[in-house]
Amino acid sequence: MKKIVFAGSECYPFVKTGGLGDVMSALPKALLNEQCDVRVFLPNYRCIPEEYRKEMKYVSHFYMDLGHMPEKKYVGILTLVLNGVIYYFIDNEEYFSSGNPYESISKDLEKYIFFDKAVLAALPVIGFEPDIIHCHDWQTGFIPVFLRTLFYDTEISRKAKTILTVHNLKFQGIANRNTVRYLTAFPEYVFDGEKGGYGKDVNMLKAGLVFADKITTVSQTYCDEIKTEEYGENLHPVINYHHMKLCGILNGIDYEVYNPKTDRNLSVQYDINTAENAKHINKLTLQEELGLKKDGGKFVIGLISRLTDQKGLDLVDRIMEKMVDEHTQFVLIGTGDTKYEETFRNYENRYKGQVSANIMYSDARARRLYAAADVILVPSRFEPCGLTQMMAYRYGSIPLVRATGGLKDSVIPYNEADGSGTGFSFADYCAKSLLDTVNYAKRIYFTRKDLWRKLVIKAMGLDYSWKKSAVQYKKLYVAMSGMDDEPEKIVKSEVEIKAEPVVQSEAKSEKKPKSEKKPQPERKVVNKKTVRKGKATRKKNTPNTTVTTI
């Protein structure tokens, strides 16, 4: 059984701002079925809903050096089991008490450097020795660096291999070099241009790419695209240099979470056999909810997205007047750049009853739009994977996408001549191509209802669950760390909280802050032999940390 640590900055249902949150939730669950022992590490953000916070159990705490900072930092460890997956939350009110996971780069830089080091320092405390540490995006880019530098003489470093998955190369965690020196105390070679250096700055993602044992992207096409200057975000030379450790594995979606047959957000639940009538009812219900003209015969186009330049919204803006007509309605859900928020609000005011601009993010309303829409629009300039098109399939809405990244890998262009294809797509990033493709979809919808019904049934029959992707990741883990062991029983219901050996603090006057006080475990077991062994192991294996366990 492979032992896997996942580390990331967000995870559904605790905190989610985008596709990363879905991946951090669904992939570990799928890996349980592949006989992997998966532990997920997250920051203990204040914004995590109370229903989950109250279920967290205290495991331990310690104090840790952070770079050249004069005071050691408190590291609390809380745990929770959900859907069979064991989650650990790194607790520190100084860093994670904000209401949002992401703030400014200056604040985010320090808190994720702290998080990266704390994850490695916490592993001996919880008694887990992973085969693989799977890191996600720039926020965890320094975990491979810490592992191969300050933690080099530890059992974890000797055993564990690291994977860094790039969900979006555009976001890299670039910061002042001297600031990073102060916060990390990395050896000077880390800041070399061929490693973490980035001009006069340091790039957390670049450092992770260099120090990780393997790099994955979330689709094969994106894996190829980021080697080019057009999509490489100035890191294509580094990526090409490390191409031998690069591979692409397409994301999936959680078919239990996204299931129109059980989705309580819908007015009518349905499956592949009842979709036609149920989607008609869901369309009427959503039209009433949004103040659109109630007419089940309208062609409803949905767009669920962050409102940024990446998402192709400039193309939508250019064709809106020609796209929205007496037979067509357009519904947007999302927030982002002010210019796009105002643009779509203006369209709603101009086209009353035809356009609905929901400048918000509501998962419940998004589900209702998936169930009501005929087409879901994803005209992205670039898209590493995209989950929207997979969710559209699941709910029987047809994706209309630009053929880039994971959109190209998952949407096969429809051909009415032979019925092949699974959606609508266009290659050139231009408004005319988008409008032509929208009009083609409209023509099929209004003039060939028989073909449209077959296309909906085909879409709902596709399998973009995590099962296939989890098998690929399991093969990758085995290839990196050797043959798999005999399968063992995976803990799915509770975590055994063991009493930890007590390691004397270097400064006895240090106390755990009252504001961060956590309940103690109900039972404490102390064994002299274990304590002596634990002292020696902790001293050797946890550099620059001072551990105080209760």
Side-chain angles (χ1 to χ4, degrees):
M1 178 192 300
K2 291 303 174 189
K3 295 181 178 181
I4 315 297
V5 162
F6 268 60
S9 59
E10 59 183 81
C11 177
Y12 178 84
F14 309 111
V15 59
K16 173 189 167 182
T17 67
L20 171 61
D22 287 310
V23 175
M24 286 287 294
S25 169
L27 180 53
K29 282 199 297 183
L31 287 169
L32 290 181
N33 296 326
E34 300 304 319
Q35 294 301 307
C36 291
D37 185 354
V38 185
R39 312 294 173 96
V40 179
F41 279 79
L42 300 165
N44 186 28
Y45 301 115
R46 179 71 60 82
C47 61
I48 293 174
E50 183 61 27
E51 63 181 293
Y52 301 112
R53 299 184 69 84
K54 68 183 181 181
E55 296 298 323
M56 295 179 186
K57 297 179 181 179
Y58 169 79
V59 177
S60 186
H61 77 275
F62 57 90
Y63 289 84
M64 178 183 75
D65 292 327
L66 189 64
H68 299 291
M69 301 184 79
E71 295 182 354
K72 298 180 187 300
K73 299 294 184 179
Y74 168 80
V75 181
I77 307 173
L78 307 176
T79 192
L80 170 68
V81 180
L82 185 66
N83 296 320
V85 179
I86 301 173
Y87 295 90
Y88 290 100
F89 298 86
I90 298 298
D91 185 47
N92 181 291
E93 291 186 1
E94 176 185 354
Y95 292 119
F96 305 130
S97 61
S98 171
N100 298 308
Y102 310 123
E103 301 171 87
S104 64
I105 184 62
S106 59
K107 291 182 179 179
D108 290 347
L109 176 78
E110 184 172 339
K111 74 184 180 188
Y112 290 121
I113 288 175
F114 164 81
F115 175 72
D116 289 1
K117 187 174 184 182
V119 169
L120 296 176
L123 291 174
V125 177
I126 66 171
F128 191 70
E129 295 185 356
D131 300 296
I132 302 291
I133 301 175
H134 194 155
C135 309
H136 295 264
D137 269 351
W138 74 264
Q139 293 90 346
T140 56
F142 275 174
I143 288 180
V145 186
F146 275 119
L147 188 67
R148 301 308 178 205
T149 57
L150 303 185
F151 285 75
Y152 76 98
D153 193 24
T154 66
E155 287 302 318
I156 293 171
S157 183
R158 282 186 280 272
K159 180 179 180 181
K161 299 293 180 64
T162 56
I163 297 174
L164 178 58
T165 293
V166 178
H167 295 263
N168 193 331
L169 194 66
K170 187 176 181 66
F171 305 106
Q172 299 178 8
I174 300 171
N176 177 269
R177 183 174 300 210
N178 288 333
T179 301
V180 176
R181 278 195 184 100
Y182 178 73
L183 294 174
T184 63
F186 282 149
E188 195 59 29
Y189 65 81
V190 171
F191 304 100
D192 292 345
E194 66 271 20
K195 294 184 172 62
Y198 193 73
K200 295 180 180 180
D201 296 317
V202 174
N203 186 316
M204 284 184 69
L205 182 63
K206 178 188 175 188
L209 298 174
V210 171
F211 280 84
D213 297 297
K214 200 76 177 178
I215 305 165
T216 67
T217 65
V218 289
S219 70
Q220 183 56 52
T221 294
Y222 191 60
C223 178
D224 297 331
E225 287 175 341
I226 63 174
K227 297 175 185 176
T228 69
E229 184 175 359
E230 180 180 2
Y231 293 96
E233 300 292 344
N234 297 319
L235 290 181
H236 56 286
V238 178
I239 291 166
N240 279 288
Y241 184 82
H242 292 275
H243 71 278
M244 292 299 292
K245 59 183 185 182
L246 178 67
C247 69
I249 299 176
L250 188 68
N251 281 342
I253 62 172
D254 190 326
Y255 268 40
E256 294 179 6
V257 173
Y258 297 99
N259 185 354
K261 190 174 182 179
T262 59
D263 195 333
R264 296 182 180 179
N265 297 293
L266 312 185
S267 58
V268 177
Q269 288 78 38
Y270 58 96
D271 58 19
I272 195 170
N273 298 311
T274 59
E276 184 175 6
N277 185 56
K279 282 185 67 68
H280 179 84
I281 297 172
N282 279 304
K283 180 186 289 187
L284 294 173
T285 303
L286 185 70
Q287 288 170 334
E288 183 175 13
E289 176 185 345
L290 301 181
L292 299 173
K293 182 178 180 180
K294 287 185 67 174
D295 183 347
K298 297 286 189 183
F299 185 73
V300 175
I301 300 171
L303 197 159
I304 304 166
S305 175
R306 288 182 291 110
L307 306 185
T308 66
D309 289 333
Q310 174 196 336
K311 298 300 183 177
L313 301 178
D314 57 325
L315 301 185
V316 179
D317 182 22
R318 286 180 228 165
I319 71 167
M320 183 66 81
E321 293 180 351
K322 295 180 179 179
M323 181 172 67
V324 176
D325 55 33
E326 59 181 328
H327 306 293
T328 307
Q329 294 176 339
F330 177 85
V331 180
L332 174 137
I333 299 175
T335 61
D337 293 351
T338 302
K339 65 177 180 179
Y340 289 123
E341 292 183 352
E342 291 303 315
T343 293
F344 288 105
R345 283 194 181 102
N346 289 336
Y347 281 126
E348 181 180 64
N349 291 330
R350 286 176 59 186
Y351 298 99
K352 289 291 186 182
Q354 293 174 277
V355 174
S356 175
N358 301 267
I359 308 303
M360 60 188 291
Y361 184 76
S362 166
D363 184 59
R365 184 166 290 184
R367 305 288 190 92
R368 290 193 287 275
L369 180 53
Y370 281 123
D374 299 297
V375 157
I376 296 293
L377 208 57
V378 197
S380 301
R381 184 182 299 273
F382 68 93
E383 195 65 61
C385 175
L387 302 180
T388 302
Q389 75 278 14
M390 299 176 189
M391 296 171 188
Y393 285 142
R394 184 71 165 142
Y395 284 78
S397 295
I398 308 304
L400 193 159
V401 309
R402 178 169 176 257
T404 182
L407 300 174
K408 183 177 181 180
D409 291 348
S410 57
V411 179
I412 301 170
Y414 180 70
N415 185 339
E416 64 179 308
D418 59 8
S420 62
T422 58
F424 301 95
S425 71
F426 61 101
D428 294 334
Y429 190 81
C430 68
K432 183 181 184 303
S433 295
L434 172 58
L435 182 60
D436 288 346
T437 308
V438 169
N439 288 336
Y440 178 46
K442 281 186 182 183
R443 182 171 65 77
I444 301 298
Y445 178 82
F446 286 115
T447 66
R448 295 299 306 270
K449 286 290 187 182
D450 56 328
L451 297 183
W452 192 270
R453 291 189 192 97
K454 291 179 181 179
L455 184 57
V456 170
I457 292 172
K458 180 190 290 188
M460 293 190 70
L462 297 172
D463 184 0
Y464 281 98
S465 68
W466 271 104
K467 181 176 175 58
K468 181 178 179 180
S469 302
V471 170
Q472 291 178 281
Y473 274 111
K474 173 66 180 297
K475 290 179 179 179
L476 179 62
Y477 298 154
V478 171
M480 292 176 66
S481 58
M483 295 297 292
D484 205 5
D485 301 322
E486 284 294 318
E488 300 172 12
K489 185 177 181 181
I490 297 175
V491 178
K492 290 192 176 183
S493 59
E494 61 180 349
V495 180
E496 180 184 2
I497 300 178
K498 299 179 180 180
E500 293 295 327
V502 178
V503 179
Q504 294 297 325
S505 171
E506 294 173 357
K508 294 183 179 180
S509 62
E510 290 180 0
K511 300 291 184 181
K512 181 175 179 288
K514 291 183 179 180
S515 62
E516 297 174 288
K517 187 175 182 180
K518 304 295 176 187
Q520 298 183 13
E522 294 181 0
R523 297 198 309 168
K524 176 180 178 182
V525 181
V526 179
N527 180 287
K528 293 182 179 179
K529 182 177 179 180
T530 303
V531 170
R532 288 195 298 270
K533 181 179 179 182
K535 286 181 180 179
T537 303
R538 192 66 44 81
K539 184 175 181 181
K540 181 179 180 181
N541 292 350
T542 312
N544 296 321
T545 61
T546 302
V547 182
T548 306
T549 57
I550 298 176

